[in-house]
Amino acid sequence: MRSTRIAVYGLVTLLACIYLMPLLVVVLNSLRSTPDIFRNGMIGLPHGLEFSNFTEAWSGLCIAEHCTGIRGYMFNSMMMTLPATVISTFFGALLGYAISLWRFRGDMWVFGIITLGVFLPEQMKLVPWVLVLRDLGLYNTVAGLVLIHVIQGLSFTTLFCRNYYVGIPQELMKAAKIDGAGFFRIFWRIVLPLSPPILIVTVIWQFTGIWNEYLYGVTFASGDHQPVTAALIALAVTVSEAPKYGVQSAAVLIAAAPTLFVYLAGGKYFMRGLTAGAVK
Amino acid sequence: MKAARRSPGEVLPLLAIWVPVLVSILYVVGFTLYTVWIAFTPSTLLPEYGWVGLKNYVAILHTRNWNIAAANIVVYSVCFLALTTFLGLLLAVLLDQKLRGENVFRTIFLYPLAVSFVVTGVVWGWLLNPGIGIQKVVVGLGWTDFRFDWLVDRDRALYCIVLAGAWQASGFAMALFLAGLRSVDADLMKAAQIDGAGPLRTYRRVVLPTIWPIFIAVFVILLQFAIKTFDLAVALTGGGPGISTVLPSMVVYDFMFQRGLLGRGSAAAVLQLLMLVAVLVPYGVFRRWQTLKAARNA
Amino acid sequence: MAALRIRDLHKRFGPVEVLKGIDLEIDSGDFTVLVGPSGCGKSTLLNIIAGLEKASSGDVEIGEAVVNDIQPKDRDIAMVFQSYALYPTMTVRQNITFGMECRRVPKARQDEAVDRVAKLLQIEPLLARKPGQLSGGQRQRVAMGRALVRDPKLFLFDEPLSNLDAKLRVEMRMEIKQLHARIGSTIVYVTHDQIEAMTMATRIAVMHQGSVQQFADPDTIYNRPANLFVARFMGAPPMNTVTARLEGGPDGPVAVVGQGADAIRLPAPAAVGPDWLRRPVILGIRPECIAEPTRYFSEDPAATMTISAPVELTEPTGAETIVVLRLGGEKVLGRVAPDVRMPTGAVGRFAVDTRKICLFDPTTERLIA
């Protein structure tokens, strides 16, 4: 039995090392000089710490002919992700509440159709979005991307919140109706105060998903309006002739930092979101 | 129903419900139908109103890009599904052993999920690059014959995407499996123990058979991820070497925005949707059957 | 004055009719219990009275006004739920004042009302707590406080005691009864527990399969059940029902249970019509009407009759002993004093209270006499 335990721990530790390796490599390389990486490969310990990689990645790196680093793209991503996360979560909560607790004629149909949006490939929606954004004058703007992610995100947030709210007893709704509370009062005073667990899950999920999204970002924004995911791809293409792996690693690390931070800060809720959204 | 006299207090909730609902339905149904329709038109750079029947589909099915992509998506999906499920199940069973530091391990196996496909693709691109990545390091350690150059091998580059994809998604499979394992009645495990079953037999004969619905859920979710794969391949191989690793999603994008053939791109998108439908509709039917069965037994 | 009147109320869920024409008239100050097995429609009826569900047809009147199309909040009712339905994120005080807050009652009057109710229910120390920090009994009190504070025309209780343990349930039962006696409000109370119905109600409506089987005071319900369902549903153990034949006798009609040597002849109620003679009937007799032979049920010696019957089994409960005996071949239960030893497997003697015998029509199952 003892030897089995040791084998289990050994295997788990080995796997953990393999899963950690890419992150470790990026962290180490972000501190190494480009010649060092060329000479010794991607995997190796730094000889001295090159913090200059970060400053260059942040504000000096050339991406598609703009030599201002990824600063602007990070800003775009933030300006896209934060409002889209908040707005889509709010409306998801409202719709989830209406579908699960307020109930209305055809609510199950509405729910079914909205959840279908979770599965639809983004490619199916590209052409209509082109037209909608053009007509609204939002093409190549961050606001356009916010709109896309709010509407796209509604499917996820409604699904999450509805699945959580069905656990709230109907008797609570009855009591509130007899107490004289209406649709919005019940939402504000009873449902929202019960919601922090699911709101945290939804916010984490939306933040991660929107921050990491690439296809819409590259299709509906160009040049210095793009989010950071698109910039990373552009960067990989730009520097392919004369790679600067150290600086690029720093850029990758900066780009991945917000979602990694959110994950580490709310890991418990992240896991709960996965299982809640998927199994139901 | 009687004709309803509605006070302002009743109208506002209706607005709050139905405006987002209608937007969502328009988005899900309207956008899909629009793309389906565009696929029947001769649209190129801009949507055009005309009818060409199945011409776009026929054209797509005769392009080399699409045929390679269709073959690739089958191979990719099968390999990705097999590797990710295997890793996910392995990790879940290992973590189910009441390990010390379980939370730390779980955090490690799940963090790739918080990282974007783009970052995953870029970083694995470096690791799998024979000139600077794993091969170079192993060679540098003295094993000079070592070759790990799949990324630049036309026949093997696709498996690099599988590797990176599995690294990213196996934590997800693990989370679902672990939730399933934890939901198995503890008395069942005790009964198996008293019956004299060892740990392996307990898992194989008692635990895993009771969580088979989770397997189906994991398969379906991973499969629809696989069919939609885009960013990861763009970042990791860009479809190369040559066009050996193009995927359907990339063909759609290529037709729509690189070649400016919206009609054909839409047809490719519809074909991609049909693949999803082929996965999701049977699953939907299966779920329905399951709930009906549960309702009948209750 | 009728506080609540229900007229020909129907409720259909698709093809299933769960309420099949309910007519009830409840007087002001009555404590009415709707009792019946699960699925009989009692909770649906209560929800319709509250306005939480819509009837398919029929009228609900509260205080002489038809309220069919009136929102629950405007019906001047309060409700106590089975799960208590306390708002988990609010304190006890906020739970109690939420209804007044929704109606924009001034803060000072809210506080006054809370103080009054908290004192009445002795929950003053709990006002600052959240429902999660309360015991089951305390939650029950808060739920009642929330209803009482509004001083409505009608109180609705939906199985409010079924989530409490047995001991607490008995205590709360008495408290609710005392409360009703003190404030004299009109209460409609739903339960599946016939003991709750008997102990608390001033009027009981026994429901089964979507209709009211009998609507009367507890004494009538218990002693003169309108049909076999009510006879068997009310009382634990339930009323014994055995087949019998009616015959004429010198002192009035006689019900003969069993045949040949085992036959037992019991005096039937005089009110039974002559056309029932020589016909089969169902005879109902409560277990407590079959007791040890030394018992006298009334001053009138004619009320008590002594019989012999084989004893099959005895179940001592401490306060009394339940006896399983054969009455003319049919199995019935009797209740004897705990200190009486009954000879299991042999013939015992019993006193029977003949005044409480009921007769039912075997086809319609209705009470004949």
Side-chain angles (χ1 to χ4, degrees), chain A residues 97 101 164-165 168-169 171-177 179 181-196, chain C residues 85-90 95 98 102 146:
Chain A
Y97 154 68
L101 293 171
Y164 182 78
Y165 291 152
I168 296 180
E171 286 200 340
L172 220 51
M173 294 295 295
K174 292 183 183 176
K177 282 184 192 169
D179 266 339
F183 181 82
F184 289 107
R185 195 191 291 267
I186 296 178
F187 184 60
W188 286 118
R189 291 293 311 275
I190 295 163
V191 175
L192 268 192
L194 282 170
S195 304
Chain C
L86 299 178
Y87 310 123
T89 54
M90 298 184 196
N95 262 284
F98 186 65
C102 293
R146 183 169 68 183

Side-chain angles (χ1 to χ4, degrees), chain A residues 77 80 122-123 126 145 148-149 152 208-222 226-237, chain B residues 116-119 122 228-236 238 249-250 253 258:
Chain A
S77 277
M80 168 181 84
E122 293 174 337
Q123 278 79 1
L126 287 176
L145 291 176
I148 291 179
H149 285 299
Q152 159 106 342
T208 316
I210 297 172
W211 183 274
N212 288 341
E213 206 281 334
Y214 166 69
L215 178 60
Y216 288 139
V218 76
T219 308
F220 300 116
S222 56
Q226 289 190 331
V228 72
T229 43
L232 282 185
I233 298 273
L235 176 64
V237 176
Chain B
S116 62
F117 286 118
V118 169
V119 167
V122 168
K228 291 195 249 181
T229 303
F230 176 74
D231 326 9
L232 182 64
V234 169
L236 184 52
S249 55
M250 294 158 82
Y253 187 79
Q258 246 105 45

Side-chain angles (χ1 to χ4, degrees), chain C residues 155-174:
Chain C
F155 285 97
L156 305 175
F157 286 74
D158 188 5
E159 308 226 12
L161 301 184
S162 55
N163 280 355
L164 297 177
D165 64 51
K167 187 164 166 283
L168 210 50
R169 192 153 54 210
V170 173
E171 285 173 24
M172 288 307 297
R173 205 162 73 193
M174 287 192 235

Side-chain angles (χ1 to χ4, degrees), chain C residues 70-246:
Chain C
I70 292 182
Q71 293 287 317
K73 63 181 162 92
D74 300 324
R75 292 191 174 195
D76 201 9
I77 52 168
M79 190 158 171
V80 178
F81 295 90
Q82 181 173 7
S83 67
Y84 318 135
L86 299 178
Y87 310 123
T89 54
M90 298 184 196
T91 62
V92 167
R93 176 184 289 277
Q94 288 167 326
N95 262 284
I96 294 175
T97 55
F98 186 65
M100 291 188 284
E101 180 197 314
C102 293
R103 293 178 170 76
R104 302 204 174 80
V105 173
K107 192 84 180 61
R109 275 195 36 216
Q110 290 187 18
D111 291 342
E112 206 178 297
V114 173
D115 290 345
R116 176 175 56 84
V117 166
K119 195 179 256 170
L120 185 69
L121 293 170
Q122 296 161 354
I123 51 173
E124 289 135 314
L126 309 178
L127 286 175
R129 293 202 206 159
K130 294 268 178 76
Q133 301 164 296
L134 305 179
S135 69
Q138 290 170 330
R139 284 181 210 184
Q140 169 66 51
R141 277 164 197 278
V142 174
M144 297 215 315
R146 183 169 68 183
L148 284 171
V149 78
R150 299 249 322 279
D151 196 22
K153 281 205 198 87
L154 192 60
F155 285 97
L156 305 175
F157 286 74
D158 188 5
E159 308 226 12
L161 301 184
S162 55
N163 280 355
L164 297 177
D165 64 51
K167 187 164 166 283
L168 210 50
R169 192 153 54 210
V170 173
E171 285 173 24
M172 288 307 297
R173 205 162 73 193
M174 287 192 235
E175 269 194 51
I176 295 177
K177 190 171 182 174
Q178 279 175 345
L179 203 66
H180 173 250
R182 200 157 5 136
I183 60 178
S185 43
T186 314
I187 295 179
V188 179
Y189 185 110
V190 161
T191 180
H192 64 269
D193 181 348
Q194 50 89 21
I195 296 180
E196 264 175 42
M198 287 299 296
T199 49
M200 300 166 83
T202 57
R203 305 271 289 168
I204 296 178
V206 181
M207 293 185 63
H208 181 49
Q209 292 180 343
S211 35
V212 174
Q213 306 290 316
Q214 188 173 10
F215 181 45
D217 61 283
D219 192 48
T220 309
I221 295 266
Y222 192 77
N223 291 314
R224 307 297 297 162
N227 58 35
L228 277 180
F229 175 80
V230 178
R232 288 170 181 155
F233 185 76
M234 302 300 290
M239 184 182 266
N240 296 301
T241 48
V242 296
T243 49
R245 268 178 67 83
L246 267 192

Side-chain angles (χ1 to χ4, degrees), chain A residues 9 19 42 124 131 152 263, chain B residues 27 34-35 100 107 132 170:
Chain A
Y9 274 100
Y19 275 76
M42 284 305 273
M124 278 304 282
L131 302 181
Q152 159 106 342
Y263 167 66
Chain B
Y27 171 65
Y34 188 83
T35 301
R100 243 180 245 224
T107 308
I132 54 171
S170 48

Side-chain angles (χ1 to χ4, degrees), chain B residues 164-175:
Chain B
W167 173 79
Q168 229 238 358
S170 48
F172 176 70
M174 174 200 76

